[in-house]
Amino acid sequence: MKEEKNTITIVHISFWLNGKLQGLCVPPGMTVLEMLNDKLALSGTKSSCNEGDCGACTVIIGQKKDAIVQYNAVNSCIYPAYRLNGKHLITVEGISAKSALHPIQTALLDEHGTQCGFCTPGFVMSMLGLFLNQKNPSDEEILAALEGNLCRCTGYDSIFKAAKLANDKLKKNEDLLPARLRKVEIQMKEQIPPVCFDEIDNMEGWETKTCFLPKSLSELWDNIGVCKQTGHCKLIAGGTDLMVQANIQHIHYTHLIDLGNIKELHGIKLEKGEINIGANVTMTQLLKSEIIQKYLPVLIKALNQMASTQIRNSATLAGNIANASPVADGATTLLALEAKVILASKNNERTVKLANFYHGYKKTVLKSDEIIKAFTISIPAETNVFMSFIKSAKRKAVDISGVVSMLVIEYKNGTITKAVLSFGGVAPYPALATKTMAFLSKKKLEDSWFKNAGETAMREFKPISDIRGGEEYRSLLIKNHVIKHLNALLREAVK
């Protein structure tokens, strides 16, 4: 009997590492962290949680966009190594000038903010990511940038003081990056060799055999067609959930199709009274979008409470929808905004209301040959529209919700004309509270019935008990969320 070969596609990538151009072969399932620790013997970037929660593995990735180089902090433990092609990877080993410490490292020493060797490098790189993107950040922006770095052995205050001191040092014209790193910005304007592939037999230890990197939808349909012949194919966008499944739960797929290079899936556009958001748009891009800031500030509030800076720099809101998690903050928010999802396949394109997208736990209407191409949100009216987002979790940020809710109310002459209320964490998937919505319709804006509205919502759902809260606790949160939403509405309406 002929022995079946274990064939894997090795990806050839060219990228800069701490200022030097590298050429490297990586398996399609390898993360940047694995590449640094195992292939390049760079141990400054640490592996701790391996799921993007602790920030110990934070690195900076520079990427040319619109003729400039943008730098973002990411969790290297869940960032696929093949995505580095044409980019600049900066690790804690590369930020110092000659033998001198970086100003951020010096500040941590001066303020006694250094910790064990696992956590301090992550704090250094998160601060660097902040300062590269924000000149003279506020206290709130500093704290937000450090939310994804969870260890606090030396105490919050010393780390915060170190960030403030580093900011003061850098305002005195001390460059954030050594000259050898800045030179890469010029080199990145040159043509980067394309990604190449080789097949290697009997490669042990890697479950994922092939990675497709389509640059257009037409290429994508061809790739999906190839995968269908062998099965076990998975689409990857931000990968912030998929890579965690691989690291922690050891869930692997024979083939990966990375959507990140498909131009048709990028961009935020304003068209005919609707905001069109491409499936590849990251949460950070949404936060920085002037269109979103102007028309959907409530979405900004929701995104700021989702994940960490490192995660948001990679994660997409379309992925949050497709993942179909019962506690998806993004999907819950978009439900109340009455978003529509544009689904595309090789021969068809259709639009589905997000309210009709889910039909069970982790079950959606997506067909095996379909992708989320974009989603759309109608521009809200400028007056007499109230929007409120509430998230209850054990931590202020970077935590999965116990219960999350969103309320959109339209009112006129002191009477509610329309109500849309959504919840996450209380059902098998993010869901509308349709009975409560009917209860709210045509109600006068007065607090005499607020408690009844909360109790109506509480009866509408039967939440489960798990590590983030028991059934009784979650039911009480449902009631209290509704009352809190309505009190905020009343305060706004009587201004």
Side-chain angles (χ1 to χ4, degrees):
M1 183 175 178
K2 187 177 179 181
E3 184 179 349
E4 186 178 348
K5 290 184 177 180
N6 181 22
T7 303
I8 185 170
T9 300
I10 294 294
V11 188
H12 294 259
I13 56 175
S14 295
F15 65 101
W16 286 270
L17 173 62
N18 295 328
K20 293 182 179 180
L21 188 61
Q22 301 275 331
L24 206 62
C25 298
V26 296
M30 177 173 274
T31 66
V32 169
L33 179 61
E34 290 171 318
M35 181 196 74
L36 289 171
N37 290 175
D38 301 339
K39 290 185 75 73
L40 298 173
L42 291 175
S43 57
T45 306
K46 303 300 184 184
S47 173
S48 184
C49 73
N50 231 10
E51 52 186 330
D53 276 344
C54 74
C57 69
T58 302
V59 296
I60 302 294
I61 292 181
Q63 181 176 8
K64 188 179 73 172
K65 288 190 176 181
D66 301 324
I68 64 170
V69 176
Q70 296 179 358
Y71 296 94
N72 285 311
V74 301
N75 295 117
S76 61
C77 70
I78 55 174
Y79 194 93
Y82 64 77
R83 283 187 177 164
L84 289 176
N85 196 69
K87 300 174 183 177
H88 188 188
L89 172 61
I90 302 173
T91 71
V92 71
E93 291 94 342
I95 64 173
S96 301
K98 297 183 180 179
S99 60
L101 290 175
H102 191 278
I104 294 173
Q105 294 171 313
T106 303
L108 278 163
L109 281 173
D110 292 344
E111 292 294 344
H112 309 288
T114 56
Q115 305 179 89
C116 71
F118 266 77
C119 302
T120 297
F123 276 100
V124 170
M125 300 308 289
S126 291
M127 290 184 197
L128 179 59
L130 168 66
F131 296 136
L132 283 167
N133 284 283
Q134 183 70 44
K135 291 184 178 180
N136 194 26
S138 66
D139 290 359
E140 290 76 15
E141 288 168 331
I142 290 173
L143 292 171
L146 298 178
E147 285 173 344
N149 298 79
L150 298 187
C151 185
R152 297 291 193 275
C153 301
T154 59
Y156 288 80
D157 195 48
S158 56
I159 299 169
F160 175 66
K161 285 180 178 178
K164 296 272 286 181
L165 178 59
N167 187 35
D168 291 338
K169 287 175 175 285
L170 294 165
K171 282 191 292 186
K172 297 174 182 177
N173 297 320
E174 291 191 45
D175 198 0
L176 280 164
L177 297 177
R180 60 185 165 77
L181 299 186
R182 288 293 186 189
K183 287 180 181 178
V184 174
E185 296 179 5
I186 300 173
Q187 297 169 7
M188 289 181 79
K189 296 179 182 179
E190 300 173 5
Q191 182 67 34
I192 304 300
V195 178
C196 300
F197 304 91
D198 275 340
E199 286 193 352
I200 296 180
D201 294 333
N202 299 321
M203 178 86 174
E204 298 295 335
W206 294 100
E207 301 276 352
T208 302
K209 308 301 181 186
T210 309
C211 179
F212 296 95
L213 306 174
K215 295 181 180 179
S216 65
L217 286 176
S218 59
E219 284 186 42
L220 172 64
W221 310 137
D222 292 341
N223 295 157
I224 290 176
V226 172
C227 287
K228 273 192 169 183
Q229 298 174 14
T230 55
H232 304 290
C233 173
K234 189 69 173 180
L235 302 176
I236 178 171
T240 54
D241 185 71
L242 187 66
M243 299 304 291
V244 173
Q245 293 176 20
N247 290 343
I248 305 301
Q249 299 174 337
H250 306 292
I251 299 173
H252 301 278
Y253 300 90
T254 306
H255 305 296
L256 288 179
I257 303 181
D258 195 302
L259 306 177
N261 295 323
I262 300 177
K263 294 181 179 179
E264 294 100 317
L265 304 184
H266 286 277
I268 303 170
K269 297 175 288 187
L270 195 58
E271 297 177 329
K272 299 178 181 178
E274 285 189 331
I275 301 170
N276 182 292
I277 301 170
N280 272 339
V281 174
T282 66
M283 293 182 182
T284 295
Q285 289 170 336
L286 286 165
L287 285 169
K288 293 181 177 180
S289 167
E290 293 181 358
I291 293 174
I292 303 300
Q293 290 171 4
K294 180 178 179 179
Y295 295 106
L296 294 172
V298 70
L299 183 55
I300 300 292
K301 179 180 179 181
L303 289 169
N304 274 322
Q305 295 181 58
M306 291 178 63
S308 63
T309 298
Q310 295 98 313
I311 296 291
R312 291 194 295 261
N313 284 336
S314 297
T316 66
L317 207 50
N320 192 255
I321 294 171
N323 192 39
S325 168
V327 290
D329 295 347
T332 302
T333 306
L334 294 175
L335 264 177
L337 292 171
E338 299 183 289
K340 299 175 183 177
V341 187
I342 301 172
L343 307 178
S345 61
K346 183 175 183 179
N347 298 312
N348 189 37
E349 190 170 296
R350 62 189 178 117
T351 300
V352 177
K353 292 180 180 179
L354 184 57
N356 300 327
F357 185 71
Y358 304 111
H359 58 85
Y361 176 70
K362 291 285 186 176
K363 293 182 180 179
T364 73
V365 299
L366 263 173
K367 298 176 182 177
S368 61
D369 61 346
E370 283 185 320
I371 65 163
I372 294 178
K373 182 179 179 181
F375 54 94
T376 63
I377 305 168
S378 297
I379 296 175
E382 294 184 3
T383 58
N384 296 334
V385 176
F386 169 79
M387 299 184 182
S388 176
F389 172 86
I390 300 175
K391 174 174 179 172
S392 294
K394 292 184 177 180
R395 297 199 309 266
K396 182 179 179 182
V398 200
D399 200 4
I400 296 173
S401 299
V403 172
V404 60
S405 65
M406 171 84 172
L407 176 65
V408 178
I409 291 281
E410 295 179 14
Y411 59 94
K412 186 176 181 180
N413 299 325
T415 300
I416 295 174
T417 57
K418 182 180 179 180
V420 186
L421 176 63
S422 59
F423 279 96
V426 301
Y429 48 86
L432 293 174
T434 53
K435 294 178 181 178
T436 311
M437 288 160 54
F439 176 89
L440 295 173
S441 181
K442 299 181 181 179
K443 285 285 190 300
K444 290 288 184 180
L445 292 179
E446 54 189 40
D447 60 8
S448 59
W449 48 267
F450 286 4
K451 182 180 177 182
N452 291 337
E455 290 172 347
T456 300
M458 189 167 62
R459 290 191 296 268
E460 192 164 352
F461 297 101
K462 293 288 289 183
I464 64 169
S465 296
D466 63 16
I467 194 171
R468 286 181 290 276
E471 178 185 348
E472 185 178 352
Y473 170 71
R474 279 195 164 112
S475 293
L476 184 59
L477 280 178
I478 292 171
K479 174 183 174 181
N480 289 344
H481 273 217
V482 172
I483 294 173
K484 190 172 182 179
H485 282 307
L486 293 171
N487 280 322
L489 164 65
L490 190 57
R491 288 194 299 272
E492 180 178 294
V494 298
K495 283 183 181 177

